[in-house]
Amino acid sequence: MNRTPVVFIHGAWLHALSWESWAERFASRGFLALTPGWPGEAAAAREVRTSASDVFAGVGLDVLTDHYAHIVRSFDIAPVIVGHSVGGLIAQHLIGANIGRAAVAIAPAPVNDVPLSAAPSPLWTPGAADEAGGLVTLSPTRFQQAFANTVGAEEAARLFERYVVPTPRRLLADLGYAGAARNPRTRVDVGNVDRGPLLLISGQEDLLVPDAATRAVYKQYGDSTAVTDLKQFADRAHSLVIDAGWRHVADYVLGWLDERGLHAHPA
């Protein structure tokens, strides 16, 4: 029997394995769950941290958007797109272009003219000593401070070891960090009335993509009659897709898909 594909798109500083629990959960509900990594991404986070390729370092928003557009278009049944952080921006860009059946954007990098957040201290300063080969790293300490700020030290260390990777400096520039001009792919057609349903999700303790930024994006969709929903999770940080509370978020998404008539086995 045909199954509805769900394509998961991870964000900056995370590996594709960050979706492993989600993929298992969605597959158990009958969906065809896929977690394709970024171009040049090695099979494990540790390998990316120790020997990331020049291909991975050169990845920018254009490359990522085209990469996932090609994947989403490759299915006979239009997929649901679930993205976190930069993946959430890409999910919105694709569904706004009528690519995919529906989209879920979790703590999405801001689109259009919604400003970027000011992290507790800059995650990227051009020319910083931790930049090598076009990549920007997070230390375990910075990961807990800025990314997993609602998580204890032991859990944060485990999450870092399993999932955290450097992110391309080029991608951060494309998003507008450190005063760089934003890439046109950060623009989303928020007025498209023909697109599929969209769910925006925020964590109310998120320091990288604050709840206020996601609410500002939600308001931009106000003039469209297409389905747009917002869910806010209290006491959750940017790590809400990988930390101990991930299942609450995943099950909410599964329930939302069901309410919107987006079933694992389309009629």
Side-chain angles (χ1 to χ4, degrees), residues 8-90:
F8 293 94
I9 307 175
H10 70 82
W13 287 295
L14 288 184
H15 189 273
L17 283 173
S18 59
W19 291 119
E20 59 185 346
S21 297
W22 286 67
E24 182 178 352
R25 188 72 168 163
F26 274 65
S28 73
R29 298 294 186 89
F31 289 95
L32 178 62
L34 303 106
T35 62
W38 293 4
E41 184 177 295
R46 178 186 288 272
E47 187 177 351
V48 179
R49 290 196 297 268
T50 57
S51 59
S53 68
D54 291 339
V55 173
F56 185 71
V59 168
L61 193 56
D62 288 327
V63 169
L64 283 180
T65 303
D66 291 341
H67 174 67
Y68 285 105
H70 175 75
I71 291 170
V72 172
R73 285 187 171 121
S74 69
F75 296 94
D76 293 331
I77 299 173
V80 173
I81 309 165
V82 179
H84 172 245
S85 191
V86 177
L89 185 158
I90 294 170

Side-chain angles (χ1 to χ4, degrees), residues 28-232:
S28 73
R29 298 294 186 89
F31 289 95
L32 178 62
L34 303 106
T35 62
W38 293 4
E41 184 177 295
R46 178 186 288 272
E47 187 177 351
V48 179
R49 290 196 297 268
T50 57
S51 59
S53 68
D54 291 339
V55 173
F56 185 71
V59 168
L61 193 56
D62 288 327
V63 169
L64 283 180
T65 303
D66 291 341
H67 174 67
Y68 285 105
H70 175 75
I71 291 170
V72 172
R73 285 187 171 121
S74 69
F75 296 94
D76 293 331
I77 299 173
V80 173
I81 309 165
V82 179
H84 172 245
S85 191
V86 177
L89 185 158
I90 294 170
Q92 290 177 80
H93 185 89
L94 295 181
I95 200 68
N98 298 320
I99 301 172
R101 187 177 178 189
V104 179
I106 304 170
V111 305
N112 299 339
D113 59 352
V114 175
L116 299 167
S117 69
S121 61
L123 292 175
W124 174 45
T125 302
D130 66 349
E131 293 181 26
L135 295 172
V136 180
T137 63
L138 282 185
S139 69
T141 298
R142 291 295 293 122
F143 170 70
Q144 184 177 14
Q145 289 174 339
F147 203 109
N149 47 287
T150 60
V151 168
E154 183 177 345
E155 182 181 358
R158 179 181 58 80
L159 295 175
F160 183 93
E161 178 62 24
R162 181 70 176 168
Y163 301 126
V164 175
V165 299
T167 210
R169 175 169 40 185
R170 179 174 180 175
L171 176 61
L172 296 178
D174 284 345
L175 296 175
Y177 282 99
R182 288 192 187 184
N183 185 293
R185 296 292 185 94
T186 62
R187 304 294 302 177
V188 169
D189 184 0
V190 295
N192 182 359
V193 299
D194 298 319
R195 62 163 170 80
L198 169 66
L199 172 63
L200 298 168
I201 292 177
S202 67
Q204 293 186 316
E205 298 300 324
D206 193 328
L207 299 178
L208 288 186
V209 183
D211 172 65
T214 303
R215 284 189 281 112
V217 170
Y218 176 65
K219 289 179 181 178
Q220 292 206 350
Y221 287 97
D223 293 333
S224 173
T225 57
V227 171
T228 311
D229 295 318
L230 172 66
K231 172 62 177 177
Q232 299 159 283

